[in-house]
């Protein structure tokens, strides 16, 4: 039996092994992918399809206004009431941007404004935008970006305010609400050049009284001329009688 196994396992004449190692020649890869042109990359980036976002049903998410109302704190409500009182009691509310004014410069500006009855007030921009979005002064909301200051007065003191701001270049006037009218910085300059109310009233009274005086002089012209002619005729007749 051992001889039989050995005869089966030993390689016979013409027998080849089951595994053969074949050696192939390795060849270096010399071709690389050509990079895409920059213009083509830009064109593909611009024309790439962007699928639209799925629209959520109404009421699924709270609106921004509801979120602001939920986050509104008692201090914010108190400041909004103060802002409402300012717009209700003051005929001039001007907005200026504070470009690095020092505390001493602010005190000096406040002292100069106090001589003309103008006050300086500070309110957070979030409070101002929240109040303006619900009021008729919504056009002033874009002015409240960055550090802003309010100049308020119960009477429109535009000329005095502009004259005082000339010595404070750190304060850049953005716009104002004067007599419930929104004005830009150029509009405020034009408003300051207008004559005072007393001068306008005097011109109006003069214009109204001029036609009345002219009418009176026209009505008196013919009777006066007739009287002069009659007096001249009487004098000539008396002279003629004396000579005869």
């Amino acid at each position: 039996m051992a001889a039989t196994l050995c005869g089966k396992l030993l390689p016979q004449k013409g027998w080849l092994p089951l595994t053969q190692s074949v050696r192939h020649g390795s060849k270096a890869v010399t071709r690389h992918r050509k990079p895409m042109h920059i213009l083509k990359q830009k064109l593909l980036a611009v024309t790439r399809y962007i699928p639209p976002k799925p629209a959520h049903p109404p009421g699924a998410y709270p609106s921004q206004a509801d979120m602001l109302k939920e986050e509104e704190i008692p201090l914010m409500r108190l400041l909004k009431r103060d802002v409402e009182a300012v717009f209700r009691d003051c005929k001039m509310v001007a907005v200026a941007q504070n470009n690095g004014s020092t505390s001493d410069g602010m005190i000096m500006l406040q002292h100069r404004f106090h001589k003309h009855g103008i006050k300086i007030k500070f309110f957070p921009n979030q409070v101002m935008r929240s109040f303006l979005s619900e009021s008729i002064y919504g056009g002033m909301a874009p002015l409240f970006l960055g550090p802003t200051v309010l100049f308020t007065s119960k009477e429109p003191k535009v000329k005095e305010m502009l004259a005082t701001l000339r010595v404070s270049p750190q304060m850049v006037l953005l716009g104002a609400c004067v007599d419930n009218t929104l004005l830009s910085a150029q509009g405020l300059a034009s408003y300051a050049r207008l004559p005072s109310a007393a001068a306008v009233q005097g011109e109006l009274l003069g214009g109204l009284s001029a036609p009345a005086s002219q009418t009176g002089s026209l009505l008196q012209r013919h009777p006066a001329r007739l009287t002069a002619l009659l007096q001249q005729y009487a004098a000539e007749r008396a002279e003629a009688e004396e000579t005869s």
Side-chain angles (χ1 to χ4, degrees):
M1 185 175 179
T4 305
L5 292 173
C6 291
K8 291 182 179 180
L9 295 175
L10 291 175
Q12 300 178 2
K13 188 178 181 179
W15 179 82
L16 295 177
L18 298 178
T19 59
Q20 295 181 1
S21 61
V22 179
R23 187 175 182 181
H24 300 279
S26 62
K27 189 176 182 180
V29 179
T30 58
R31 293 186 179 182
H32 298 280
R33 189 174 181 180
K34 187 177 180 180
M36 190 181 300
H37 197 271
I38 184 63
L39 295 179
K40 189 175 181 180
Q41 294 180 12
K42 292 181 179 180
L43 181 62
L44 291 176
V46 171
T47 58
R48 186 181 59 182
Y49 173 72
I50 301 177
K53 296 181 180 180
H56 57 81
Y61 297 97
S63 62
Q64 188 175 4
D66 297 337
M67 294 176 63
L68 289 176
K69 290 181 180 178
E70 291 178 0
E71 296 176 359
E72 197 174 52
I73 58 177
L75 178 59
M76 187 173 179
R77 291 196 295 268
L78 180 62
L79 291 175
K80 284 176 66 175
R81 284 199 293 267
D82 294 342
V83 175
E84 183 179 1
V86 167
F87 277 86
R88 183 181 62 250
D89 300 335
C90 299
K91 293 185 179 180
M92 186 190 74
V93 180
V95 185
Q97 187 176 10
N98 184 9
N99 293 330
S101 179
T102 61
S103 58
D104 295 338
M106 188 65 67
I107 292 174
M108 292 298 296
L109 182 63
Q110 187 175 5
H111 177 68
R112 294 190 183 99
F113 275 156
H114 182 71
K115 297 178 181 179
H116 305 291
I118 303 175
K119 297 181 180 179
I120 301 177
K121 295 185 179 296
F122 300 90
F123 292 101
N125 292 340
Q126 183 181 1
V127 176
M128 295 300 302
R129 287 195 293 266
S130 177
F131 167 75
L132 293 173
S133 62
E134 302 172 357
S135 66
I136 60 175
Y137 311 103
M140 297 180 66
L143 301 179
F144 292 92
L145 295 174
T148 54
V149 185
L150 290 184
F151 303 143
T152 63
S153 64
K154 294 186 177 180
E155 296 296 331
K157 302 290 185 67
V158 179
K159 188 179 296 184
E160 293 82 356
M161 178 183 66
L162 294 178
T164 307
L165 287 178
R166 289 194 186 98
V167 297
S168 297
Q170 295 84 5
M171 294 293 174
V172 180
L173 197 61
L174 302 178
C177 176
V178 181
D179 287 334
N180 294 329
T181 303
L182 301 182
L183 298 174
S184 62
Q186 293 78 11
L188 288 171
S190 302
Y191 184 92
R193 289 193 292 267
L194 294 176
S196 61
V200 173
Q201 291 176 359
E203 293 179 1
L204 179 61
L205 290 176
L208 293 176
S209 61
S213 60
Q214 292 177 2
T215 303
S217 62
L218 289 175
L219 292 176
Q220 294 176 3
R221 180 180 299 176
H222 295 289
R225 183 173 178 78
L226 179 60
T227 303
L229 291 175
L230 290 176
Q231 291 178 356
Q232 184 179 0
Y233 175 75
E236 292 177 355
R237 186 174 181 179
E239 186 179 356
E241 290 178 354
E242 290 179 357
T243 55
S244 61

